[in-house]
Amino acid sequence: MAGRGSLPEGSLFLGFDSSTQSLKATVLNNELAIVASEIVNFDSELPHYKTEGGVYRDSADDGHIFSPTIMWAEALELLLEKLKPKINFSKVVAISGSGQQHGSVYWKKGSQAVLSSLDPSKSLLLQLKHAFSTMNSPIWMDSSTTKQCREIENAVGGALELAKLTGSRAYERFTGPQIRKIYQTEPNGYEDTERISLVSSFMASILVGSYASIDETDGAGMNLMDINQRTWSKAVLEATAPELEGRLGNLAPAYSVAGRIAPYFVERFQFDKNCLVIQWSGDNPNSLAGLTLNTPGDLAISLGTSDTVFGITAEAKPSLEGHVFPNPVEPDGYMVMLCYKNGSLTREDVRNRCAEKSWDVFNSYLEKTPPLNGGKLGFYYKDHEILPPLPVGFHRYMIENLDAASSDNLIEREVAEFDPLSEVRAIIEGQMLSMRGHAERFGMPNPPKRIIATGGASSNESILRALAQIFGCPIFTVQRPDSASLGAALRAAHGWLCNAAGSFVPISCLYEGNLEKTSLGSKLAVPAGDKEEDRELLKKYTLLMRKRLEIEKRLVEKIGRA
């Protein structure tokens, strides 16, 4: 079996993360230690696009959220310029990347020729700005395709049938419904489209100077791929748009080689011409790789712009909520995932309204309020929520009888507002209770053996303490909250190793027995409480969680978007 030493001495592995708000890079050496990292923030460093949080919101079309496609290409060039003084690009033997899931790019006819003949004396911006049939990319925050979701579901026999086929029911942000909307509302643009990429395969395409395949893991976030066969589903393609398969190209395993780096980057940045570009994948699959999540009893929770909960499983059991994707580093396995649109931006909104725009004040409020918040339970949706499918709005309840033995005895009454301290605890407890409730309903472990927390808010100990109390398990964190670019660099090394071996090798071969010496180890941040009062508290949180799911169900029946 290949060991860590089989990565060539002195070699570097470059991982990118093209996320909603920024483009990041992490560089690992052959010991899998981080030797450099860099970031380009879209709003502040590319201000001419006038994005807010990396996106545009369409005031005329509620829920329509998108980003300027060319901005991502310009960011790539800028990031490489920033990395240049830090590392020797000629030592990079493999590159991979992570793209925000569900964003899509529409290349216009003739763009393959442009891609394959990039002139190293000119910028990517100059050469690619006219390469798209629609200048903007719909992204994961978009929720304007409800009509298209229902049309696709109905065409294949309903939401559950689509979930069984593709791993998820139709979601507004998924690429299939987005393609259908473009086909219906911009027929000429669709007709002029030669290839459709995801953000991941778009960035890989630039690096190899040719259309890169969509990888199977990110392809599962499109409502277009047969989750068991790992091929495009003819039935769903037909329900989505005409002549779609040719525009999508072939699927590829996440660990395979997309191609060698394009001459453009060899001449402009002095990369070695034999540098491999490994298939890019989605941000959540890359986080799974970066967190070295390989024990079925573990859960990972990413607390970022969106909050995601994910675990791994040996078999696919799709349901009406949550998602099943192929595991990016284990070809026979699957990853299961829940996604919440209201993550850090919604926490920041409460911080700004109630805690003087300061995380220190926010955390002090969280520490001053007791667990269970005196029965104050809140639902906070600054954006249309995915899970549950509820519109923008805030709902606050007082729950009485919390000492009761069952959730049937709990009484709720709706209230207009909470005091600032209670509001701070209510947003954190509300989000965590929702995660736990839906994770258990989806068949994820209860309680988990441990939770590995990542994303920006994973550095906040007050939030992690609440997470440990609500889930009743220890919380571990990784050295770096940006696990997606770290995972991409690790996947670059893994893809290099598979290519050298001529077949798939388990990713654990890279770090087995040496995890703590690499940049991949996790450390205990908050232990699980093992006192009697901790167990009593967990029981009460369990009751509150069930009550929350009941109230949520009624809200969905009354005002839900599904």
Side-chain angles (χ1 to χ4, degrees):
M1 187 177 273
R4 186 176 54 128
S6 55
L7 295 177
E9 194 67 40
S11 58
L12 298 176
F13 300 90
L14 173 54
F16 291 103
D17 175 30
S18 182
S19 71
T20 317
Q21 303 186 51
S22 63
L23 179 65
K24 300 187 189 87
T26 297
V27 186
L28 295 175
N29 64 13
N30 61 299
E31 301 276 311
L32 303 184
I34 294 169
V35 292
S37 58
E38 198 46 85
I39 184 168
V40 169
N41 180 287
F42 300 146
D43 291 3
S44 59
E45 294 182 70
L46 298 169
H48 43 284
Y49 291 103
K50 300 186 167 65
T51 54
E52 283 185 31
V55 306
Y56 298 136
R57 292 167 190 266
D58 184 348
S59 53
D61 180 357
D62 183 36
H64 183 208
I65 301 177
F66 49 94
S67 293
T69 309
I70 192 64
M71 175 176 79
W72 299 328
E74 188 176 357
L76 176 63
E77 193 118 58
L78 179 57
L79 188 63
L80 288 170
E81 291 290 353
K82 288 175 79 168
L83 264 181
K84 214 176 187 173
K86 294 187 168 185
I87 63 163
N88 180 347
F89 285 133
S90 69
K91 297 268 198 286
V92 176
V93 299
I95 299 172
S96 189
S98 151
Q100 56 168 309
Q101 288 198 263
H102 318 299
S104 47
V105 171
Y106 300 80
W107 298 93
K108 78 173 181 200
K109 287 177 178 166
S111 295
Q112 166 69 26
V114 176
L115 255 185
S116 60
S117 55
L118 291 171
D119 177 348
S121 69
K122 297 180 181 145
S123 70
L124 290 175
L125 171 68
L126 202 63
Q127 297 178 84
L128 293 177
K129 64 180 177 188
H130 301 302
F132 312 110
S133 50
T134 169
M135 300 310 292
N136 293 311
S137 288
I139 62 154
W140 67 273
M141 295 169 83
D142 186 278
S143 57
S144 67
T145 59
T146 311
K147 167 179 165 284
Q148 289 78 15
C149 287
R150 296 299 85 81
E151 288 168 352
I152 293 169
E153 285 178 347
N154 293 340
V156 298
L160 190 57
E161 282 309 306
L162 186 66
K164 285 177 184 166
L165 199 55
T166 69
S168 305
R169 67 176 302 168
Y171 282 91
E172 281 110 333
R173 68 191 190 284
F174 273 40
T175 322
Q178 294 290 347
I179 291 170
R180 183 162 178 77
K181 183 184 175 191
I182 283 178
Y183 160 65
Q184 289 176 338
T185 60
E186 302 175 46
N188 294 342
Y190 181 78
E191 184 51 39
D192 193 30
T193 299
E194 167 174 282
R195 177 61 83 98
I196 298 171
S197 293
L198 297 179
V199 177
S200 54
S201 62
F202 166 67
M203 299 295 275
S205 299
I206 295 175
L207 287 170
V208 296
S210 178
Y211 292 142
S213 296
I214 290 172
D215 88 286
E216 293 164 355
T217 306
D218 211 6
M222 300 173 76
N223 279 135
L224 294 173
M225 187 184 90
D226 182 317
I227 191 79
N228 292 303
Q229 304 300 321
R230 308 201 181 184
T231 54
W232 299 119
S233 161
K234 298 274 191 270
V236 192
L237 293 181
E238 281 168 23
T240 302
E243 295 166 8
L244 182 51
E245 189 164 4
R247 288 174 166 86
L248 294 172
N250 296 328
L251 287 152
Y255 60 85
S256 62
V257 175
R260 293 191 191 279
I261 197 159
Y264 179 86
F265 296 96
V266 174
E267 295 189 32
R268 196 168 169 97
F269 293 98
Q270 286 72 57
F271 278 93
D272 185 279
K273 68 181 192 313
N274 294 314
C275 173
L276 298 178
V277 178
I278 306 303
Q279 288 292 152
W280 283 45
S281 190
D283 48 5
N284 294 300
N286 277 285
S287 288
L288 180 111
L291 297 171
T292 64
L293 193 69
N294 48 23
T295 312
D298 291 349
L299 275 190
I301 294 184
S302 174
L303 300 166
T305 310
S306 63
D307 287 342
T308 46
V309 182
F310 41 96
I312 57 172
T313 176
E315 51 185 324
K317 291 183 186 165
S319 76
L320 283 176
E321 57 183 41
H323 315 292
V324 178
F325 297 155
N327 184 326
V329 292
E330 180 44 70
D332 299 330
Y334 295 88
M335 62 178 285
V336 288
M337 192 176 96
L338 303 171
C339 188
Y340 298 86
K341 194 187 285 190
N342 288 273
S344 62
L345 300 179
T346 307
R347 288 187 284 274
E348 280 168 24
D349 180 58
V350 172
R351 178 202 67 179
N352 294 346
R353 284 190 291 109
C354 303
E356 302 167 25
K357 299 187 177 177
S358 154
W359 283 120
D360 289 340
V361 175
F362 183 96
N363 292 341
S364 76
Y365 286 3
L366 196 52
E367 299 293 338
K368 282 175 188 162
T369 44
L372 302 167
N373 208 11
K376 299 185 187 78
L377 184 63
F379 295 73
Y380 298 88
Y381 305 122
K382 188 177 184 299
D383 276 303
H384 293 323
E385 187 47 274
I386 297 160
L387 188 65
L390 285 171
V392 172
F394 302 93
H395 313 277
R396 298 173 185 86
Y397 299 87
M398 283 299 303
I399 310 294
E400 285 152 19
N401 278 358
L402 257 180
D403 289 324
S406 90
S407 54
D408 301 344
N409 303 339
L410 301 183
I411 300 160
E412 92 255 6
R413 56 186 169 85
E414 193 158 3
V415 295
E417 58 182 35
F418 294 151
D419 62 278
L421 276 82
S422 301
E423 184 93 329
V424 163
R425 182 161 277 278
I427 175 73
I428 297 302
E429 288 193 338
Q431 288 180 330
M432 310 291 172
L433 286 165
S434 177
M435 285 179 198
R436 184 183 151 190
H438 288 284
E440 288 181 18
R441 213 154 73 180
F442 195 49
M444 292 184 184
N446 162 38
K449 286 183 191 161
R450 61 174 184 156
I451 287 171
I452 305 175
T454 178
S458 67
S459 57
N460 185 321
E461 207 173 306
S462 305
I463 290 177
L464 296 186
R465 204 169 301 130
L467 192 61
Q469 289 172 328
I470 287 168
F471 276 85
C473 70
I475 311 295
F476 285 72
T477 53
V478 284
Q479 284 184 16
R480 306 176 64 82
D482 47 343
S483 56
S485 62
L486 175 61
L490 182 65
R491 285 185 48 256
H494 181 229
W496 186 93
L497 204 59
C498 293
N499 184 65
S503 67
F504 177 80
V505 292
I507 194 167
S508 55
C509 296
L510 281 172
Y511 50 72
E512 226 150 30
N514 295 296
L515 203 53
E516 63 290 341
K517 291 183 187 160
T518 70
S519 295
L520 305 166
S522 54
K523 64 177 196 298
L524 180 65
V526 183
D530 55 3
K531 298 190 182 83
E532 185 54 37
E533 62 252 41
D534 297 312
R535 287 189 282 275
E536 283 305 310
L537 178 60
L538 185 60
K539 280 182 196 162
K540 287 180 182 169
Y541 270 131
T542 302
L543 291 182
L544 196 56
M545 174 199 82
R546 289 182 188 139
K547 189 66 185 174
R548 183 187 175 86
L549 290 178
E550 269 174 49
I551 296 171
E552 181 188 283
K553 183 168 180 272
R554 288 200 293 274
L555 283 170
V556 170
E557 283 163 4
K558 194 167 134 197
I559 57 171
R561 296 180 301 112

